[in-house]
Each structure stands twice: as structure tokens, then as C-alpha cells.
Amino acid sequence: MPKAPLPQNEQERLAALRSYHILDTATEKDFDDLTQLASAICGTPISLISLVDKDRQWFKSRYGLKASETDRAWSFCAHAINRPDELLEVEDASADARFKDNALVTGDPHIVFYAGVPLVDEDGFALGSLCVIDRERRKLSNEQQSALKILGAQVISKLKLRKKLVELEAAGTRIQKLNTLLTAKEREAMQIIEHAPIAMALHTGEEMNIRFANKMMLAAWGKDELVFGMPFNKALPELAALDFPRTMRQVYRKGIAYEQTEEHMSYVHNGVLKDFYYNYGFTPLKLADGTVWAILNTAVDVTNIVRSRETVKLAEERMRLAVQSAELGTWYIDANTREFTSSARLKEMFGFYADEDMSYEASINQIPDEHRYTVIQAVEAAITKGEAFDIEYPIVGYRDNILRWVRATGKVYPASENGQAPFFSGTMLDITERKQDDQRKNDFIGMVSHELKSPLTSLSGFLQILQLKAGKASDSFTHSMATKSLNQVKKMTALINGFLNTSRLGTGKIQLNKQSFAIDELIAETLNDTSLIQDTHSLIYEPGGHVLIEADRDKVGNVITNLLSNAIKYSPKGGEVKISCSAQKGMATVKIKDSGLGISQADQDKLFDRFYRVQSLETNHIAGHGIGLYLCAEIIQAHGGKIGVESELGKGSAFWFELPIV
Ligand code: ADP
């Protein structure tokens, strides 16, 4: 049995058929009426609207037949569509070579007669056919053939109509979906604008009516939503006075945007006249044909930024004036490249001309040998480890050979966010005069103390003789007076020794007479001596065993005496002073703890400076010179040890020092 050949345009024909979205849809009365009519007109028991799909024929309407589709191989219609313009009429299928073996002929529904008119759409594609079928031989009359063709045309127009409807429906749903999407997008956009961190408003018409303003714009205006719909002049008379509507109108007319940055403006905001700085702009919003339909007004309040920049500028200016009037020299070192820049004043301090070049090396060369290394080390430690830089050293002028003392303080500034490399910078102050003053003071103290020493030694000798004699003569009164006088002379000697040491210290003149001794024994001795001359406080010793150190015994004794007498001096009568001594990690630690006045953190930092005394109501009536702790620190440091204090105001202090164990 020969199969119906495939039409030449089969691919396109199938695509056209699909575009009707009709395959496998439910039966429809419109189409069923047409098959029923075809059957009635042609007098056949069966009539079908058959659509020829890729591998099957599917019946949109079937009159007198149960099956909804059959294999394309058995399809009569597949033959019919090959001649789109002709009606295919087979009077006796069993006698037709094309159909006699056809399963629909040999078996159910036992087709004998077939007549089909191709269903051709407006593009010329034969989608299938409208056919009539009988189980008996028959031939259609001319009228029946014409009627079948007319009915075929009806099927096609119904198919077309149906397609349009389906398309319309699809378009309708699409529009509906788009609308929903648009409403959602509009809502989102409005929400974004409403909460944008920039003030926005929309103005329309020559009067710059306020169509909309977001929260930030309303806040900037100091208004609420009541201004919506109002002309600019009426809604915002305070701002209208600044000529905004006129500028906006020009943007509106010319269609060219207008922008201002950091514009200063004063206007009444919530009833108060205030100053503001704004970055603002008026942007024309245009229709497709270029006409402006609205003005978008945007503004950013930059008042704080401008103000803080002005404050920084002012601070910089003040700083510059201060540096100038204090005659401070300044320098700058790029921490990465080590490029060195210095001010004119700094160059002068190093004995260079203010306008000549001075390299870092050249400046270092002017520092005397014994100080040079310390300075280089301090600079390196500051740059590489960020250590504090505050150092005093002498300089010999490059051209004038004058010796100057300077104090240099600096800081390392880490890399900044705006790309500025890390740098080390600071100021330098000429302290020659202060150093000379100190020297003169030292010389004077040294000289006076020295002169006082010999009369005191004689006085001490005489008193000892007196004490001895009174003892022998059992003159207890004179003996006690001589003892008391001797104690006072001892105190005075200690004081004068202190003054002498002060004048020698700091100039590298301190001399240590080191010897090996047990520090615990020295503490016991010192405590004993102190107990002899005071009975107001209880001194409690907590020894921590035998600890041998190598140090200047007298000077370390001075340190202990000093710390002890301070503990007594700065704590109320009847108080306790605890002394402890311990050894660990190669160091001997001595601690003297009182429960007296205590020292604030700020004072603790300066306590070991020369002549520093705490200024307070409690300490003002206690006599002193502020050199005791300075001396202690100098002595301990000369031994390579450490000294410090732990204290809290009102709760007492614990002074401690550490010295290396033998
Ligand atoms: P001076 O006692 O002669 O004033 P020092 O150098 O010994 O000088 O002490 C410096 C300052 O430190 C004192 O003026 C005092 O204010 C404070 N000070 C020292 N020791 C103590 C202490 N144990 N308790 C409270 N304050 C102290």
C-alpha cells in the first residue's frame, strides 16, 4: 500500500498547524455542527474534520466515528492535502490501488467511499480536510461537492476565528501580567525614591507645582505632605525668596540641567533662620518628543562636610601660627621612601642656611658622636615600631659651629585612606637656654653643697665627742640632745649628698662604687636607722630570703631611705608601711607599700622628673623639693635596673625597683 507522499512544505505546514493551538483540544459545537451538516448533505454515516499532524491524523470533530485519531499511514486526508485545490473523491476504496490494503478499509470502520475537501488556510497550507465517509460505494453529485467545499471553507474561517480568539486571550493575559509587573515596579521605584538618602522632588508647570517630594526633601524644607500640589511660591516662600522658581523655570523652558555645589544659603527652617550648604541640581525630565514635562529637584545637605573642612583648615592655620610663634622647626619623613623634608627654622637649628638643601644624613652628622647613635635609634624605633619619639640632644651648627640643645617630639602617622603614605613628622624646639639654666643651677647647687659638707663633717665630729663625754659623765640630758642633734646632722648630710648627686646626675657624672652585698641585709639596716628617728608609723618587713646583688651599696641605701621616708611623709600618722624583697628571673625586687594619699595616673607619669611635686591641698603643706624620686630613678637606671609605682588616689602607693642579681 503506497503511503501518501509528504507535502513539499511539510515543516512549514506543521508549524502553521501548531499555530492554531487546536490539536488535542475538546470538541466544540461549532465544528460538530459542520460535520453533522456535511453528513446530512452528502448522505454519509460519517463525517470528520481531520487535521494531519506529523505522525497521525487527529479529528477536531467526528460525526459517526468513535476514534479520535488514527495513524497518518492510514489517512485518506494525508492524500487529500497533497492537492490542496482539489476535492479527493474515492468511490470504491477496495478497488483503488492507494487504499485497498488500508487498515481502515480492510478493518473497522470498513471505509468504501471517501470524499474530502482540503482545509487550506490563508497562507496556502493544507492543514487537513473535511471529509465524508461511507461503508458503501457512492458518488457525490455536483451540488454535494459544492456544498462540501463551502462547508470546508466554513471550517477554515472557524479555525481562523478560533486562532484569533486564542491569540487575543493570550495577549490579554500578557497585558494583565505586564500591568501587574508595572504596578509592582512603580511601587518599588516610589519606595526607593521615598527612602533615598538624597532629597528629591518633582515640579511641574510654570509655577513649579510640587508633584511629589521624598522624606529627605520634606525635611530639608521643614514641611510635610500638605505642600503637594501647591505652587513653589506658595508652599515654600522662604526658599522662593532665594530665586529658585526662576532658575527652575529657565531649566523648564530651555531643557538644560542646572547644578550647584556647596552653595551657601540661609533660610528660615522650622521657624529658625539657619545656614546650610547644599549640592543641588534641577534636571529637566523630557517626553519622547523632547518637551519637558517636569523638573527633578535633587539636593544633598553638605553643611557638616563643609563645616568640618573649615574647622580643619582653621586648626591647621592656628597650628601653623603656633609653630611659627614658638619658633618650632618641623620635619617630615616618608616612612616608605625615607625622603626627608624640613622647615627653614629646623635647618637654622642645624646651622644651615634657611634656603639651602639639608639631607637627613647631613642633619645627623651635626649631632655629637656620643648622642648620634641614640637619635638614629630613636628615629628608627619610631618609624618601624611606632614607638613614642621625645628626645633631647645637642647639635653643633654646620656653618656657625654653635652648640645648641634641642627637644624633638614626633609621631608616626599611618597610611591614610586617601592614599597618603605613612610618614613620621614632628617639631623641634631650641632648649639651649633651659639647658644652660639647668647647668648653672647644677653648678650652683654643687658648689654650695660642697662648701656645706666640710663644716657639717666637723659639726658631726664635735657632736660625737659631746655625746661620748655626756655618756661618760652620765649626763643623760646632754647625751640625748647630742644624739638628736647627730640625727639631724645625718639628715642634713643625706640631703646635701642628694643635692650634690643631683648636680652630677644627668651629665653622666654619677659614679658607682659597686660591691657585692645582700640587699635584704641593707633593707634591715635602713629600717633600723629609720625606726630610730621616727615612731609615728609601723614599719613591717617581709623578707624573701638572702639576695645578693652587685651595686653601689650607699646609693641603693639612699634609694631605700628615700622611698621609705616618702611612704611615711605621704601617709597619715599611725599608718603601716610594708617593705618586701624577692628574687625572680635574675632580678631582685624591692617594694615599699603605704596606705597613704596615693597618686593620680596623670601625676604618676611625671613623678620621676626632676623638681616635680604633686600639687594638691594635701601635699602643699608637706615640705619637699621634688628631687628624691628623680635621684632614685637616676641611681637605679645607672645600675641597669627599673623603678616604678603602682598607686591609686586615696588608696596608697607601692613604689618598687628592680636590680640585677649577681
Ligand atoms: P619631695 O617628696 O621632696 O616632694 P620626691 O621626688 O620624693 O620629692 O617626690 C615627688 C612627689 O611625689 C612628691 O611631692 C609627692 O607629691 C609624690 N610622692 C612621692 N612619694 C609618695 C607617696 N608614697 N605617696 C604619695 N605621694 C608621693
Side-chain angles (χ1 to χ4, degrees):
M1 184 207 69
K3 254 194 195 172
L6 290 179
Q8 276 182 346
N9 57 1
E10 177 63 3
Q11 287 308 320
E12 295 82 356
R13 192 194 67 84
L14 282 173
L17 175 61
R18 300 257 149 75
S19 74
Y20 284 84
H21 299 286
I22 193 162
L23 293 174
D24 299 309
T25 55
T27 53
E28 284 171 54
K29 190 170 179 302
D30 276 3
F31 292 104
D32 289 347
D33 285 350
L34 290 175
T35 44
Q36 194 182 349
L37 199 59
S39 253
I41 291 171
C42 298
T44 58
I46 300 169
S47 174
L48 305 166
I49 293 175
S50 160
L51 299 167
V52 182
D53 197 2
K54 189 166 172 273
D55 299 312
R56 58 170 182 166
Q57 62 173 343
W58 179 81
F59 309 132
K60 174 62 186 170
S61 173
R62 46 189 203 276
Y63 180 78
L65 191 77
K66 281 218 177 88
S68 60
E69 60 179 43
T70 74
D71 201 306
R72 181 169 175 171
W74 314 128
S75 169
F76 281 61
C77 296
H79 288 272
I81 60 170
N82 273 325
R83 289 175 184 272
D85 307 326
E86 290 172 25
L87 181 140
L88 171 68
E89 186 168 4
V90 180
E91 289 171 31
D92 183 355
S94 58
D96 190 310
R98 289 172 296 176
F99 303 112
K100 63 179 184 207
D101 302 330
N102 192 310
L104 306 175
V105 175
T106 55
D108 204 41
H110 298 286
I111 298 176
V112 176
F113 169 76
Y114 171 91
V117 57
L119 300 170
V120 183
D121 76 357
E122 54 192 352
D123 297 320
F125 293 116
L127 307 173
S129 68
L130 165 69
C131 61
V132 285
I133 290 168
D134 204 343
R135 295 183 183 92
E136 291 167 14
R137 269 184 73 110
R138 113 178 352 266
K139 183 169 169 51
L140 293 186
S141 68
N142 284 345
E143 290 75 24
Q144 284 173 319
Q145 284 189 354
S146 310
L148 199 61
K149 281 181 188 163
I150 291 168
L151 287 178
Q154 279 301 306
V155 174
I156 276 292
S157 65
K158 289 243 178 295
L159 278 176
K160 247 162 69 183
L161 201 67
R162 192 183 174 285
K163 185 181 176 189
K164 282 256 147 47
L165 271 173
V166 170
E167 278 172 0
L168 269 177
E169 248 170 51
T173 345
R174 215 170 45 236
I175 287 172
Q176 217 169 14
K177 270 190 192 157
L178 268 175
N179 272 342
T180 337
L181 202 70
L182 267 178
T183 333
K185 286 268 169 261
E186 193 178 284
R187 213 177 30 238
E188 281 169 21
M190 280 312 288
Q191 230 175 22
I192 292 170
I193 294 170
E194 182 72 15
H195 298 285
I198 161 173
M200 285 192 211
L202 202 65
H203 304 268
T204 49
E206 289 270 323
E207 296 295 307
M208 294 301 129
N209 285 313
I210 299 165
R211 264 280 280 273
F212 168 79
N214 70 356
K215 280 192 184 357
M216 284 207 70
M217 188 58 96
L218 288 174
W221 289 341
K223 304 282 172 193
D224 58 23
E225 283 86 353
L226 286 179
V227 296
F228 288 3
M230 287 168 78
F232 198 108
N233 280 341
K234 277 217 178 107
L236 309 159
E238 316 83 347
L239 287 164
L242 301 180
D243 241 12
F244 287 124
R246 206 171 59 90
T247 318
M248 283 171 156
R249 217 166 287 132
Q250 268 174 3
V251 173
Y252 196 71
R253 285 178 191 156
K254 292 187 183 156
I256 300 169
Y258 176 86
E259 250 179 48
Q260 282 295 321
T261 40
E262 296 188 359
E263 175 92 336
H264 174 239
M265 53 186 88
S266 314
Y267 62 91
V268 178
H269 183 264
N270 291 332
V272 185
L273 181 69
K274 281 190 197 162
D275 283 306
F276 295 96
Y277 289 88
Y278 274 104
N279 288 350
Y280 71 90
F282 302 134
T283 314
L285 301 183
K286 296 175 185 175
L287 294 173
D289 65 359
T291 45
V292 178
W293 69 274
I295 298 290
L296 177 67
N297 172 1
T298 51
V300 179
D301 184 348
V302 289
T303 314
N304 286 342
I305 298 173
V306 175
R307 291 246 164 88
S308 44
R309 202 176 50 223
E310 277 173 359
T311 317
V312 170
K313 237 196 209 157
L314 204 71
E316 274 175 2
E317 180 61 13
R318 280 198 191 128
M319 174 75 171
R320 208 178 52 74
L321 285 175
V323 166
Q324 235 174 32
S325 60
E327 296 214 317
L328 289 174
T330 55
W331 83 87
Y332 175 99
I333 299 177
D334 185 312
N336 293 335
T337 62
R338 297 299 164 96
E339 192 187 327
F340 174 72
T341 346
S342 54
S343 70
R345 174 74 189 121
L346 192 102
K347 289 179 197 167
E348 280 172 2
M349 288 185 197
F350 281 87
F352 285 80
Y353 294 134
D355 54 359
E356 74 182 320
D357 278 348
M358 180 181 77
S359 67
Y360 177 66
E361 290 71 28
S363 68
I364 290 289
N365 278 342
Q366 297 318 117
I367 303 170
D369 292 348
E370 63 270 31
H371 292 273
R372 193 177 302 131
Y373 184 62
T374 321
V375 177
I376 294 174
Q377 249 190 342
V379 170
E380 282 308 308
I383 296 180
T384 55
K385 297 186 210 144
E387 277 178 17
F389 183 77
D390 186 347
I391 180 169
E392 293 182 0
Y393 57 90
I395 297 168
V396 179
Y398 175 61
R399 291 190 188 282
D400 54 17
N401 254 329
I402 294 176
L403 181 100
R404 295 179 183 86
W405 271 85
V406 292
R407 176 175 178 188
T409 38
K411 204 180 143 189
V412 172
Y413 297 83
S416 71
E417 275 170 15
N418 56 24
Q420 161 89 58
F423 65 95
F424 173 49
S425 162
T427 57
M428 190 175 282
L429 179 67
D430 187 334
I431 54 165
T432 314
E433 233 169 85
R434 198 198 84 201
K435 279 281 176 186
Q436 284 169 349
D437 269 0
D438 279 0
Q439 192 52 48
R440 281 193 284 271
K441 218 186 278 173
N442 271 350
D443 291 348
F444 177 73
I445 293 172
M447 188 264 289
V448 173
S449 311
H450 193 76
E451 293 306 311
L452 283 176
K453 261 189 109 172
S454 22
L456 262 185
T457 316
S458 318
L459 190 60
S460 174
F462 296 143
L463 282 171
Q464 275 169 13
I465 297 168
L466 187 65
Q467 190 192 35
L468 210 67
K469 280 213 154 187
K472 279 189 184 151
S474 306
D475 179 351
S476 62
F477 176 75
T478 314
H479 186 269
S480 121
M481 284 298 141
T483 312
K484 281 182 179 159
S485 305
L486 262 173
N487 276 334
Q488 293 305 320
V489 169
K490 249 191 206 164
K491 268 199 201 173
M492 223 162 146
T493 314
L495 201 64
I496 282 168
N497 280 338
F499 281 136
L500 258 178
N501 280 334
T502 327
S503 65
R504 288 190 196 126
L505 290 173
T507 52
K509 284 182 194 156
I510 183 164
Q511 276 180 0
L512 300 178
N513 300 318
K514 286 196 180 177
Q515 64 186 98
S516 192
F517 66 94
I519 189 156
D520 48 296
E521 281 170 13
L522 176 65
I523 298 171
E525 256 172 50
T526 318
L527 273 177
N528 212 21
D529 287 352
T530 313
S531 302
L532 282 178
I533 49 172
Q534 74 86 35
D535 51 8
T536 52
H537 293 68
S538 35
L539 308 181
I540 303 160
Y541 184 31
E542 297 162 346
H546 208 52
V547 186
L548 264 188
I549 62 166
E550 193 170 288
D552 186 319
R553 198 174 193 276
D554 284 347
K555 294 204 169 65
V556 175
N558 281 345
V559 172
I560 301 170
T561 313
N562 234 312
L563 296 180
L564 259 180
S565 71
N566 273 352
I568 294 165
K569 215 156 84 170
Y570 297 104
S571 58
K573 280 187 181 156
E576 264 183 6
V577 177
K578 284 186 184 158
I579 304 99
S580 66
C581 172
S582 61
Q584 46 180 276
K585 288 186 194 156
M587 298 298 258
T589 306
V590 178
K591 202 176 219 175
I592 292 151
K593 191 169 179 299
D594 63 60
S595 33
L597 301 179
I599 304 150
S600 75
Q601 190 59 52
D603 284 319
Q604 283 177 37
D605 297 341
K606 298 179 222 140
L607 222 52
F608 297 94
D609 289 356
R610 184 152 56 158
F611 306 126
Y612 188 80
R613 303 207 66 218
V614 175
Q615 299 301 329
S616 75
L617 281 179
E618 289 90 354
T619 56
N620 281 349
H621 64 273
I622 304 176
H625 307 281
I627 57 162
L629 288 180
Y630 166 73
L631 272 176
C632 293
E634 289 284 330
I635 292 169
I636 296 298
Q637 279 153 14
H639 280 91
K642 277 188 193 162
I643 187 162
V645 63
E646 289 145 21
S647 181
E648 203 179 321
L649 204 59
K651 294 203 174 152
S653 317
F655 280 85
W656 57 265
F657 66 85
E658 279 180 359
L659 288 172
I661 295 175
V662 172

